[in-house]
Amino acid sequence: EFTGAGLTFCGISGAPDHRHKTFQYQHVLGRCLVHLGSHRHGADDLATGNRNNLIIWSELPRGL
């Protein structure tokens, strides 16, 4: 278990407001979070405990 280490999301890469904080997500044990790869984000500091991450990238075939 852990505390802290949320995710702060900003705008879409390349957009004029891409560095403005728009949403902060706090993890929930047993849930996964899926987001667009172009959606800028960063992990907040871990306050206590340990955390493991499983990160998977996916790409749609061209032409879809």
Side-chain angles (χ1 to χ4, degrees), residues 8-43:
T8 299
F9 285 89
C10 303
I12 302 297
S13 292
D17 65 347
H18 76 275
R19 294 189 186 267
H20 296 271
K21 177 179 164 184
T22 59
F23 181 74
Q24 189 166 18
Y25 176 81
Q26 293 300 318
H27 296 285
V28 176
L29 186 63
R31 292 199 180 167
C32 102
L33 176 68
V34 178
H35 63 86
L36 295 173
S38 59
H39 204 146
R40 292 181 55 89
H41 63 286

Side-chain angles (χ1 to χ4, degrees), residues 2 7 27 30-35 41 51-58:
F2 62 90
L7 283 176
H27 296 285
R31 292 199 180 167
C32 102
L33 176 68
V34 178
H35 63 86
H41 63 286
R51 181 181 98 172
N52 294 312
N53 296 313
L54 174 62
I55 301 171
I56 300 172
W57 286 271
S58 178

